[in-house]
Amino acid sequence: MTNKFLTLSRRILSIFLSVALLSACTAPPNAPATPSSAGYERYRADDLTMQKEFNLFTDDLFREEISNSGISFHFTIADPASRGFDTVPLTLGDFSLDKMKNNFKDLMELKKKLTRFNPRKLTSDQRLTYQILYSYIDTELTSEGLELYSQPLTSTIGIQAQLPVLFAEYAFYSREDVDHYLSLLSTIDDYYAQIMEFEKKKSEAGLFMSDSAADHVLKSCEAYLIQPDHNFLAETFNSRIDALNDLTADEKAAYKEKNLKVLEEHFVPAYKNLIDGITALMGTGKNDKGLYWYPDGKEYFEYLVNSNTGTSYKSITSLKKAIEKQMNSDIKALGQITKEHPQTLDQLETYTFRYTKPEEILESLKTQITADFPELPPCNYTVKYVPEALESSLSPAFYLVPPLDRYEENTIYINGNPRFQNDDLYTTLAHEGYPGHLYQNVYFLSKKPSDIRSILSFSSYSEGWATYVEFYSYSLDNGLDPELGKLLAHNTAVTLGIYAYLDICINYEGWDKEQTGKYLSNFYKVENTDIVDTIYSSLVENPTNYMEYYVGYLEIMEMRNTAEKILKDQFNLKAFHTFLLDIGPAPFSVIQPEFRNWLAKELRNG
């Protein structure tokens, strides 16, 4: 499998207020839907043997995968010894074209090993893991030959923007963690050199980013050219060192000096070299439009949609129609609200939420969601603010997924940049905290799933859930006029839907900036060319980023609407939410059959 950095949660920025892809994975052989009629499962001796072998298979896979990157390893397991690890990988990984090509050979071998198991002999949880792994492998194999279309460097979600934040949050549980941290940080210049070699190959193939996109990445890199003693990585390092009890004052001072030296000799040069490398390649990227305009761009977009959304739709055309349908539903609801409650329009510029401080908001959300969501085990959270030097290059807010053996400890970052001051912090923290990312991750990890499932990234499930509950939070007792809350929720959904819709139009159908501007002007009265430019460049530089959010929201809403329609008075919102949370991160092509089983069970029980 491709080694991926831990994904930081991202939120969209609503710029204005108005108002599957070619083939989902084929079903694996001998993989029936999970039985839903029996209240228990019965197995023969050979079944139990296969179940044990499957656990060994997934455990070995987990150990192999997290050993590819020291950052991923540390953010996945806080106590390596508890999982039988006696060594820690001191590398950021191998980001090379050869490695990517070899990954496909590994995936084919992994698929062979997986299909040796008969899903009928596995437990229901193992069967689900089997389906998820099979879908994941099949999807990733469709990108073979398209390796150079990968985009490791983008303005706010690229490796160069995310990696320093992960270093800033690298927890020090012991002296050994400090040594591992400094070793990893010392390799950042070599790692970025690998990325630049990859970018040179992209350039040679005519696939390098446009000058506009390069300018955005350069600005992101410049934010890290900070003198070591004023670098946020020095500040965060010092505070983590000071909190360790097993170091003397002299040892702490020595570590602080060593960190400054690493920042000076490796970290800052790494960003200088990135800047020099990107600058040297500027002018070689000839395409300033969407993926459609590259030789295999449409094919790569199909892969991205499948990989990043896991949609249950069989083609991009059918997915686009579903997006239009959901958008029309939200637009219709907007019209109904403004017609029946015209006063809500007068409140758009003056409304405020009852709570404005992060801790007050999170505690209010935690209390209010108990009626519609299952109970969480005890956990805690820390709210932090993005370092000022990074405010211009990072998202409005994000959540860091905790190690699977310390899921009780959670961190949410808020970006204090003035350009985000109009974002509603209440709904932002519903997205990042309760009942969003924090809640979903704590719930899932507290169920002690197979370790392999904790590292398989299905961002559309995670972001779709967080987006869905963000919209849900507008309906809570939050200080808003209830009708205004509904209006804001539907409007935000439409805004995000426009991004998802245009993503397809630009990257799959080849729309240029002029066509995009006409669409926004004709349908949403957006005449500001700066807004059009911002939307267009964002979708060109980050294909399917917004679709991860919207398609996940769309799939969840479709399941909920179906359940409400079929179950009628039997529908229970908490039961529906519990079903989605119990399934955990997975492609929607895998979730949908499980949903149908759940629905049938609810009907029988009613």
Side-chain angles (χ1 to χ4, degrees), residues 47-99:
D47 296 348
L48 296 174
T49 298
M50 182 164 285
Q51 291 164 17
K52 183 178 179 180
E53 290 175 351
F54 187 78
N55 284 339
L56 290 173
F57 166 74
T58 56
D59 287 347
D60 287 345
L61 182 58
F62 168 78
R63 295 172 68 85
E64 179 183 345
E65 285 303 305
I66 67 168
S67 296
N68 287 328
S69 162
I71 285 282
S72 294
F73 185 96
H74 186 73
F75 275 81
T76 302
I77 301 177
D79 182 9
S82 69
R83 287 293 199 283
F85 288 94
D86 52 15
T87 59
V88 174
L90 299 179
T91 174
L92 293 175
D94 181 352
F95 201 104
S96 67
L97 184 58
D98 287 342
K99 175 64 174 177

Side-chain angles (χ1 to χ4, degrees), residues 145-384:
L146 303 173
E147 298 87 355
L148 286 174
Y149 282 84
S150 176
Q151 296 174 295
L153 305 176
T154 58
S155 55
T156 58
I157 63 175
I159 291 174
Q160 88 291 344
Q162 294 191 25
L163 186 53
V165 178
L166 295 179
F167 273 119
E169 279 299 314
Y170 193 104
F172 295 164
Y173 304 112
S174 66
R175 177 197 302 264
E176 288 72 24
D177 290 321
V178 183
D179 292 328
H180 297 156
Y181 170 92
L182 292 171
S183 294
L184 286 170
L185 187 58
S186 298
T187 68
I188 191 171
D189 45 355
D190 292 335
Y191 185 67
Y192 282 2
Q194 292 181 50
I195 293 177
M196 278 313 309
E197 285 301 313
F198 181 78
E199 292 293 343
K200 289 176 185 176
K201 287 184 169 60
K202 284 174 65 77
S203 174
E204 292 166 3
L207 299 175
F208 189 65
M209 68 187 86
S210 68
D211 284 359
S212 173
D215 278 334
H216 294 154
V217 174
L218 287 174
K219 289 178 182 177
S220 169
C221 290
E222 288 165 0
Y224 299 98
L225 296 182
I226 308 169
Q227 288 297 319
D229 54 348
H230 291 92
N231 195 304
F232 75 100
L233 284 180
E235 297 172 8
T236 57
F237 182 88
N238 292 347
S239 62
R240 283 173 285 166
I241 282 288
D242 288 337
L244 280 176
N245 296 322
D246 60 344
L247 296 176
T248 67
D250 288 343
E251 288 173 327
K252 291 179 179 180
Y255 270 128
K256 292 175 182 179
E257 284 300 316
K258 187 174 182 180
N259 181 53
L260 290 177
K261 187 176 181 180
V262 171
L263 290 173
E264 181 181 4
E265 296 180 356
H266 298 280
F267 181 82
V268 174
Y271 280 90
K272 286 182 178 177
N273 292 337
L274 267 188
I275 290 172
D276 291 343
I278 294 169
T279 301
L281 293 176
M282 289 183 73
T284 66
K286 305 301 183 183
N287 177 28
D288 60 358
K289 294 186 284 189
L291 283 172
Y292 172 91
W293 297 96
Y294 289 112
D296 298 309
K298 288 187 67 172
E299 183 181 351
Y300 186 67
F301 184 74
E302 290 164 359
Y303 156 72
L304 283 182
V305 173
N306 213 350
S307 179
N308 293 340
T309 76
T311 183
S312 61
Y313 284 89
K314 303 299 182 182
S315 70
I316 289 182
T317 299
S318 60
L319 177 59
K320 183 183 176 186
K321 290 179 180 178
I323 291 171
E324 288 182 286
K325 181 180 178 181
Q326 181 62 48
M327 285 174 62
N328 287 334
S329 174
D330 283 309
I331 290 171
K332 182 179 179 181
L334 281 174
Q336 193 72 18
I337 293 168
T338 55
K339 178 181 178 181
E340 297 178 1
H341 307 276
Q343 76 280 3
T344 55
L345 294 174
D346 299 329
Q347 303 174 45
L348 288 176
E349 300 299 325
T350 59
Y351 73 86
T352 57
F353 286 88
R354 179 177 296 116
Y355 301 108
T356 56
K357 295 180 180 179
E359 288 75 14
E360 290 179 342
I361 293 171
L362 288 166
E363 290 304 313
S364 170
L365 287 166
K366 187 194 299 188
T367 300
Q368 291 197 60
I369 66 173
T370 55
D372 293 330
F373 297 83
E375 185 178 357
L376 277 191
C379 64
N380 55 63
Y381 58 82
T382 302
V383 176
K384 298 183 179 181

Side-chain angles (χ1 to χ4, degrees), residues 21-50:
L21 217 47
L22 260 194
S23 176
C25 301
T26 54
N30 303 316
T34 303
S36 60
S37 57
Y40 57 91
E41 297 175 281
R42 292 174 293 181
Y43 305 104
R44 298 190 301 270
D46 61 330
D47 296 348
L48 296 174
T49 298
M50 182 164 285

Side-chain angles (χ1 to χ4, degrees), residues 106-121:
D106 295 340
L107 282 171
M108 287 300 298
E109 182 60 30
L110 183 62
K111 186 174 180 179
K112 288 180 182 177
K113 291 180 180 178
L114 181 63
T115 52
R116 289 172 188 157
F117 295 99
N118 182 347
R120 291 189 178 92
K121 296 179 179 291

Side-chain angles (χ1 to χ4, degrees), residues 523-537:
F523 291 97
Y524 300 100
K525 310 304 179 186
V526 177
E527 307 292 346
N528 188 320
T529 55
D530 289 340
I531 292 177
V532 175
D533 289 347
T534 299
I535 294 174
Y536 188 81
S537 63

